[in-house]
C-alpha cells in the first residue's frame, strides 16, 4: 500500500524548536496534572518528527541517532516528559530500522509510521521480572499464521495514547526465559486493562501506567531476529544514548536558569562577584562532562553500526552502560548544584529559576533500568574484558 508522504526540507532543528516552544508552554501543567503532553505530541506529528529516523526509501528522512539525540536534548530543555515520549518512540523505531528492513511486514509498517506519524510505545517491563529486559515470563503463542500474547506489562509509557506497541515475550510456551522475541501490535490488535496508575515523583507526563496487555495479530508481525540480537545491537545503545540526550537537556535548562540567576545578581551589585558565580563555573564543568560523555557514546555507536561484531562486543556494551550510569548520576548533581545557586528562588515553584520539576524528573534516570542492574551487568563483563582506555576512540 502506498501512503502520501510529505517530506519537509526544513531542518530538524527548526522543526524541533517549534515543538519545544509548545512543550515548554505546557510543561508545568503536564507535570502538575500528570497528563499526557498532548500539545507537544501533536506538534511532533505536525512537524513530521516521528518518522525522521525511517530511511528515505520508506518515506522517512534517514536521521542519524546523533541527530535524534540532539532533538531529545532540545525537547528535554522544554519538557522532559515530552522529550522522553519522543526518545522512547525513536528507541522503538531503531529496532525496526536496524532489524526490520528485510521483512515485508515491518518495511510496510515503517512506511505507515512515516506517512501517518504513528506513535510507538514499548512494553519490556513485566510483573515478576521488573527491569530485567533480557528475560520474559510471558510467551507468544503461534497458531498457523496468527500470534497471541498476554503480558502483565507493569510500565508502558503513554500506553493509552500510542498507535502501536512493541512488546517482548518468550518466543513460545516451551522457550527459555531468555529466548525472546519482539512483536509489533497495532492499536486495533490489542486491549489494555489498566493495572497500575502512574502517580509518580517525576516524569509524570509520560503516563507510564501498568496494563494487562492482550493481543492477537498476524505472526508476520514478530520481528525476524531474536530479541537478544536486537537488544545488543541497537536497543541498548539507542536507549542509553537517547535517554541521555533527554537527561542532558534537563540539565542544560537547569544550568541556564542558574546562569540567568547569577547574571541578574551581578547586574544588581556591579563590581562584587555574586555568591553563586563559582558554583556556576563548577556546574558548567559538570555539564560539559555529561556532554562529552554523550557525544563520545554517540560517536562510538555511529562508528560501530556498520560492524555487527563490534556492536555485540563486550567493549561496546561496557561503553554504553557507562554512558548511562554517568549521565543519569551526574545530572542529579548538576540540578542539585543549580538549586544551591538559585536558593529559595530555585526551590519555589513558579519562578523563572524554579528547578523542582527538573530535579524530580532527573531522579527517574537512575531507575530507568536500575543503575544497580546495569552496574551488575558491567561488573560481570569486566571480569573477562579489559576496558578500552585508548584516546583514539
Ligand atoms: C519514566 C519511566 C518510563 C518508563 N517507561 C517504560 C516503558 O515505556 N516500557 C517499559 O517496559 N518500561 C518502562 N519503564 C520501566 C523501566 O525502564 C525499568 O525497567 C523499571 O523502572 C524497573 O523497575 P524496578 O525498579 O521495579 O525493577 P528492577 O529492575 O527489578 O529493580 C528493582 C530494584 O532491585 C535492585 N536490583 C534488581 N536487579 C538487580 C541486580 N541484578 N543487581 C543489583 N540490584 C538489582 C535495584 O536496586 C532496583 O532498585 C519506565 C521507567 C521510567 C522511570
Amino acid at each position: 500500500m502506498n501512503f502520501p508522504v510529505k517530506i519537509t526540507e526544513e531542518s530538524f532543528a527548526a522543526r524541533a524548536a517549534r515543538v519545544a516552544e509548545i512543550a515548554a508552554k505546557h510543561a508545568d501543567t503536564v507535570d502538575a496534572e500528570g497528563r499526557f503532553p498532548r500539545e507537544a505530541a501533536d506538534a511532533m506529528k505536525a512537524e513530521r518528527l516521528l518518522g525522521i529516523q525511517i530511511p528515505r526509501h520508506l518515506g522517512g528522512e534517514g536521521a542519524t541517532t546523533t541527530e535524534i539525540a540532539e532533538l531529545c536534548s532540545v525537547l528535554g530543555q522544554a519538557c522532559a516528559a515530552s522529550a522522553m515520549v519522543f526518545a522512547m518512540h525513536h528507541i522503538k523505531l531503531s529496532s525496526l530500522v536496524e532489524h526490520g528492513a528485510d521483512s515485508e511486514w515491518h518495511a510496510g509498517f515503517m512506511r505507515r509510521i512515516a506517512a501517518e506519524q504513528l506513535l510507538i510505545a514499548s512494553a519490556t517491563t513485566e510483573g515478576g521480572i521488573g527491569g530485567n529486559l533480557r528475560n520474559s515470563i510471558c510467551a507468544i503463542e503461534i497458531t498457523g499464521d496468527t500470534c497471541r500474547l498476554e503480558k502483565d506489562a507493569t510500565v508502558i509509557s503513554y500506553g493509552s495514547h500510542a498507535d502501536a506497541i512493541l512488546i517482548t515475550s518468550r518466543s513460545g510456551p516451551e522457550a527459555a526465559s531468555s529466548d525472546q522475541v519482539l512483536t509489533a501490535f497495532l492499536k486495533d490488535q490489542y486491549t489494555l486493562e489498566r493495572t497500575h496508575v502512574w502517580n509518580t515523583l517525576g516524569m509524570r507526563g509520560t503516563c507510564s501506567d501498568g496494563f494487562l496487555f492482550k493481543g492477537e495479530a498476524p505472526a508476520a508481525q514478530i520481528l525476524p531476529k531474536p530479541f537478544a540480537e536486537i537488544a545488543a545491537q541497537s536497543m541498548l545503545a539507542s536507549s542509553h544514548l537517547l535517554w541521555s540526550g533527554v537527561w542532558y537537556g534537563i540539565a542544560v535548562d537547569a544550568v541556564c536558569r542558574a546562569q540567568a540567576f547569577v547574571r541578574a545578581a551581578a547586574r544588581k551589585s556591579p563590581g562584587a562577584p555574586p555568591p553563586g558565580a563559582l558554583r556556576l563555573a563548577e556546574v558548567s564543568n559538570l555539564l560539559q562532562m555529561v556532554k562529552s560523555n554523550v557525544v563520545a557514546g554517540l560517536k562510538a555507536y555511529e562508528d560501530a553500526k556498520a560492524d555487527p561484531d563490534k556492536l555485540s562486543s563486550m567493549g561496546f556494551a561496557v561503553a554504553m552502560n557507562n554512558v548511562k550510569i554517568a549521565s543519569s548520576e551526574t545530572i542529579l548533581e548538576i540540578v542539585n548544584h543549580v538549586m544551591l545557586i538559585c536558593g529559595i528562588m530555585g526551590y519555589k515553584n513558579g519562578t523563572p529559576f524554579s528547578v523542582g520539576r527538573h530535579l524530580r524528573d532527573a531522579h527517574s534516570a537512575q531507575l530507568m533500568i536500575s543503575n544497580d542492574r546495569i552496574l551488575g551487568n558491567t561488573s560481570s563483563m569486566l571480569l573477562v574484558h579489559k576496558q578500552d582506555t585508548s584516546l583514539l576512540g
Side-chain angles (χ1 to χ4, degrees):
M1 208 188 305
N2 282 324
F3 293 91
V5 176
K6 179 190 140 223
I7 294 197
T8 155
E9 292 303 326
E10 222 184 336
S11 75
F12 297 147
R15 288 148 65 189
R18 286 194 290 268
V19 179
E21 200 181 323
I22 293 168
K25 204 164 115 195
H26 298 281
D28 284 335
T29 48
V30 160
D31 172 58
E33 295 168 15
R35 70 164 175 85
F36 182 64
R38 170 54 59 203
E39 301 83 353
D42 285 348
M44 287 172 207
K45 291 185 181 203
E47 297 289 351
R48 306 195 70 73
L49 289 179
L50 297 186
I52 55 173
Q53 189 183 173
I54 292 168
R56 284 185 181 273
H57 72 276
L58 295 175
E61 298 176 67
T64 63
T65 308
T66 304
E67 287 170 323
I68 295 166
E70 168 65 6
L71 303 191
C72 289
S73 158
V74 167
L75 296 175
Q77 292 169 50
C79 168
S82 303
M84 193 48 88
V85 171
F86 180 75
M88 286 194 280
H89 164 84
H90 276 287
I91 291 161
K92 289 298 101 185
L93 216 45
S94 75
S95 299
L96 292 170
V97 170
E98 299 300 330
H99 309 285
D102 296 336
S103 145
E104 199 183 322
W105 190 87
H106 295 93
F109 184 37
M110 282 189 267
R111 278 190 196 281
R112 276 196 64 189
I113 294 170
E116 300 171 34
Q117 294 292 296
L118 303 180
L119 180 65
I120 318 299
S122 166
T124 56
T125 306
E126 183 174 10
I129 291 265
N132 189 357
L133 181 86
R134 286 290 292 101
N135 280 275
S136 290
I137 296 172
C138 67
I140 199 143
E141 295 197 28
I142 304 172
T143 323
D145 293 339
T146 303
C147 66
R148 284 178 199 84
L149 178 63
E150 191 170 317
K151 177 166 182 169
D152 174 17
T154 45
V155 195
I156 308 182
S157 289
Y158 55 94
S160 309
H161 306 274
D163 300 304
I165 297 179
L166 259 63
I167 186 163
T168 49
S169 66
R170 285 186 293 135
S171 64
E174 308 303 324
S177 63
S178 61
D179 176 2
Q180 295 164 289
V181 288
L182 183 66
T183 308
F185 284 91
L186 307 176
K187 202 177 180 61
D188 58 0
Q189 296 172 329
Y190 59 79
T191 58
L192 293 175
E193 188 186 313
R194 196 185 319 263
T195 50
H196 302 274
V197 174
W198 184 254
N199 180 7
T200 48
L201 181 71
M203 284 293 184
R204 294 170 55 76
T206 60
C207 296
S208 310
D209 294 331
F211 299 96
L212 178 62
F213 172 99
K214 287 184 191 170
E216 182 176 319
Q221 294 179 209
I222 303 171
L223 270 143
K225 269 199 181 175
F227 180 64
E229 282 178 42
I230 298 173
Q233 295 183 1
S234 69
M235 197 180 133
L236 283 179
S238 56
S239 300
H240 292 173
L241 293 167
L242 298 188
W243 288 346
S244 291
V246 174
W247 301 331
Y248 173 67
I250 296 172
V252 168
D253 190 59
V255 171
C256 287
R257 289 177 188 222
Q259 186 168 21
F261 183 88
V262 171
R263 281 183 175 172
R267 277 195 300 273
K268 267 191 214 154
S269 8
L278 277 186
R279 276 200 194 279
L280 180 64
E282 279 177 339
V283 87
S284 150
N285 176 41
L286 290 172
L287 190 68
Q288 185 176 319
M289 279 190 337
V290 175
K291 175 177 163 174
S292 307
N293 189 43
V294 179
V295 168
L298 285 165
K299 185 175 181 311
Y301 182 44
E302 304 285 10
D303 289 350
K305 258 188 184 172
D307 182 349
D309 287 343
K310 201 165 182 182
L311 279 181
S312 301
S313 70
M314 280 194 193
F316 181 70
V318 168
M320 291 302 119
N321 282 355
N322 283 339
V323 170
K324 195 272 176 176
I325 297 288
S327 51
S328 62
E329 288 183 355
T330 315
I331 59 155
L332 276 173
E333 213 182 322
I334 291 174
V335 184
N336 190 48
H337 234 74
V338 169
M339 184 103 74
L340 292 175
I341 293 168
C342 300
I344 204 76
M345 294 300 277
Y347 192 67
K348 272 169 87 166
N349 293 324
T351 84
F353 312 107
S354 302
V355 284
R357 173 164 53 81
H358 301 65
L359 194 57
R360 289 185 290 102
D361 289 341
H363 268 284
S364 69
Q366 298 182 96
L367 316 180
M368 233 173 145
I369 307 295
S370 154
N371 277 8
D372 286 349
R373 207 181 263 290
I374 294 175
L375 286 171
N377 176 264
T378 301
S379 62
S380 310
M381 291 190 280
L382 288 176
L383 292 178
V384 290
H385 168 75
K386 184 182 173 300
Q387 179 142 359
D388 179 6
T389 51
S390 167
L391 293 177
L392 298 176

Coordinates of all heavy atoms in Angstrom, one line a residue, residues 196-224:
H196 N -2.0 -0.5 37.0 CA -1.3 0.4 37.9 C -1.4 1.8 37.3 O -1.3 2.0 36.1 CB 0.2 0.2 37.9 CG 0.6 -1.2 38.3 ND1 0.8 -1.6 39.6 CD2 0.9 -2.3 37.6 CE1 1.1 -2.9 39.7 NE2 1.2 -3.4 38.5
V197 N -1.6 2.8 38.3 CA -1.7 4.2 37.8 C -0.4 4.9 38.1 O 0.2 4.7 39.1 CB -2.9 4.9 38.6 CG1 -2.9 6.4 38.3 CG2 -4.2 4.3 38.3
W198 N 0.1 5.6 37.1 CA 1.4 6.3 37.2 C 1.2 7.6 37.9 O 1.0 8.7 37.3 CB 1.8 6.6 35.7 CG 3.2 7.2 35.6 CD1 3.5 8.5 35.2 CD2 4.5 6.5 35.7 NE1 4.8 8.6 35.1 CE2 5.5 7.5 35.4 CE3 4.9 5.2 36.1 CZ2 6.8 7.2 35.4 CZ3 6.2 4.9 36.1 CH2 7.2 5.9 35.8
N199 N 1.3 7.6 39.2 CA 1.3 8.8 40.0 C 2.6 8.9 40.7 O 2.9 8.3 41.8 CB 0.1 8.7 41.1 CG 0.1 10.0 41.9 OD1 0.8 11.0 41.6 ND2 -0.8 10.0 42.9
T200 N 3.6 9.6 40.1 CA 5.0 9.5 40.5 C 5.6 10.8 40.9 O 5.0 11.9 40.7 CB 5.8 8.9 39.3 OG1 5.4 9.7 38.1 CG2 5.6 7.5 39.0
L201 N 6.8 10.7 41.4 CA 7.6 11.9 41.7 C 7.8 12.8 40.5 O 7.6 14.0 40.6 CB 8.9 11.4 42.4 CG 9.9 12.5 42.9 CD1 9.3 13.1 44.1 CD2 11.2 11.9 43.2
G202 N 8.3 12.2 39.5 CA 8.7 13.0 38.3 C 8.3 12.2 37.0 O 7.6 11.2 37.0
M203 N 8.7 12.8 35.9 CA 8.3 12.2 34.6 C 6.8 11.9 34.5 O 6.4 10.9 33.9 CB 9.2 11.0 34.2 CG 10.6 11.3 33.8 SD 10.6 12.2 32.2 CE 12.4 12.3 32.0
R204 N 6.0 12.8 35.1 CA 4.6 12.5 35.3 C 3.9 12.4 34.0 O 2.9 11.7 33.8 CB 4.0 13.5 36.3 CG 4.6 13.4 37.7 CD 4.2 14.5 38.6 NE 2.8 14.7 38.7 CZ 2.0 13.9 39.4 NH1 2.5 12.9 40.1 NH2 0.7 14.1 39.5
G205 N 4.3 13.2 33.0 CA 3.6 13.3 31.8 C 3.8 12.1 30.8 O 3.2 12.0 29.8
T206 N 4.8 11.2 31.2 CA 4.9 10.1 30.4 C 3.8 9.1 30.5 O 3.6 8.2 29.7 CB 6.3 9.3 30.7 OG1 6.3 8.9 32.0 CG2 7.5 10.2 30.4
C207 N 3.0 9.3 31.6 CA 1.8 8.5 31.8 C 2.1 7.0 31.6 O 1.5 6.3 30.8 CB 0.6 8.9 30.9 SG 0.1 10.6 31.2
S208 N 3.1 6.5 32.4 CA 3.6 5.2 32.3 C 2.8 4.2 33.1 O 3.4 3.5 34.0 CB 5.1 5.1 32.6 OG 5.8 6.1 31.9
D209 N 1.5 4.1 32.9 CA 0.6 3.2 33.6 C 1.0 1.7 33.4 O 1.7 1.4 32.4 CB -0.8 3.4 33.2 CG -1.4 4.8 33.6 OD1 -0.9 5.3 34.6 OD2 -2.3 5.3 32.9
G210 N 0.5 0.9 34.3 CA 0.7 -0.6 34.1 C -0.6 -1.1 33.5 O -1.7 -0.6 33.7
F211 N -0.4 -2.2 32.6 CA -1.6 -2.7 31.9 C -1.5 -4.2 31.8 O -0.3 -4.8 31.7 CB -1.7 -2.2 30.5 CG -1.8 -0.7 30.4 CD1 -0.7 0.1 30.1 CD2 -3.1 -0.1 30.4 CE1 -0.8 1.5 30.0 CE2 -3.2 1.3 30.3 CZ -2.1 2.1 30.1
L212 N -2.6 -4.9 31.8 CA -2.7 -6.3 31.3 C -2.9 -6.2 29.8 O -3.9 -5.7 29.3 CB -3.8 -7.0 32.0 CG -3.9 -8.5 31.5 CD1 -2.7 -9.3 31.8 CD2 -5.2 -9.2 32.1
F213 N -1.9 -6.6 29.0 CA -1.9 -6.5 27.6 C -2.4 -7.8 27.0 O -1.9 -8.9 27.4 CB -0.5 -6.2 27.1 CG -0.3 -6.3 25.6 CD1 -0.3 -5.1 24.8 CD2 -0.2 -7.5 24.9 CE1 -0.1 -5.2 23.4 CE2 0.0 -7.6 23.5 CZ 0.0 -6.4 22.8
K214 N -3.4 -7.7 26.1 CA -3.8 -8.9 25.4 C -3.9 -8.6 23.9 O -4.6 -7.7 23.5 CB -5.3 -9.3 25.9 CG -5.3 -9.9 27.2 CD -6.7 -10.4 27.6 CE -6.8 -10.8 29.0 NZ -8.2 -11.0 29.5
G215 N -3.1 -9.3 23.1 CA -3.0 -9.0 21.7 C -3.1 -10.2 20.8 O -2.8 -11.3 21.2
E216 N -3.6 -10.0 19.6 CA -3.7 -11.0 18.6 C -3.4 -10.4 17.2 O -4.0 -9.3 16.9 CB -5.1 -11.7 18.6 CG -5.2 -12.8 17.6 CD -6.6 -13.5 17.6 OE1 -7.1 -13.8 18.7 OE2 -7.1 -13.8 16.5
A217 N -2.5 -11.0 16.5 CA -2.1 -10.3 15.2 C -1.5 -11.4 14.3 O -1.2 -12.5 14.7 CB -1.0 -9.3 15.5
P218 N -1.3 -11.1 13.0 CA -0.6 -12.0 12.1 C 0.8 -12.3 12.7 O 1.5 -11.3 13.1 CB -0.5 -11.2 10.8 CG -1.7 -10.3 10.8 CD -1.8 -9.9 12.3
A219 N 1.3 -13.5 12.6 CA 2.6 -13.9 13.1 C 3.7 -13.2 12.4 O 4.8 -13.1 12.9 CB 2.8 -15.4 13.0
A220 N 3.4 -12.7 11.2 CA 4.4 -11.9 10.4 C 4.9 -10.7 11.2 O 5.9 -10.0 10.8 CB 3.9 -11.5 9.1
Q221 N 4.1 -10.2 12.2 CA 4.5 -9.0 12.9 C 5.6 -9.3 14.0 O 6.0 -8.3 14.6 CB 3.2 -8.4 13.5 CG 2.3 -7.9 12.4 CD 1.0 -7.3 12.9 OE1 0.0 -7.4 12.2 NE2 1.0 -6.7 14.1
I222 N 6.0 -10.5 14.2 CA 7.1 -10.8 15.1 C 8.4 -10.5 14.3 O 8.6 -10.9 13.2 CB 7.1 -12.3 15.4 CG1 5.8 -12.7 16.1 CG2 8.3 -12.6 16.3 CD1 5.6 -14.3 16.3
L223 N 9.2 -9.7 14.9 CA 10.5 -9.3 14.2 C 11.3 -10.6 14.0 O 11.4 -11.4 14.8 CB 11.3 -8.3 15.0 CG 10.9 -6.8 14.7 CD1 10.9 -6.0 15.9 CD2 11.9 -6.3 13.6
P224 N 11.9 -10.7 12.8 CA 12.5 -11.9 12.4 C 13.8 -12.3 13.2 O 14.2 -13.4 13.2 CB 12.8 -11.7 10.9 CG 12.7 -10.3 10.6 CD 11.8 -9.7 11.7

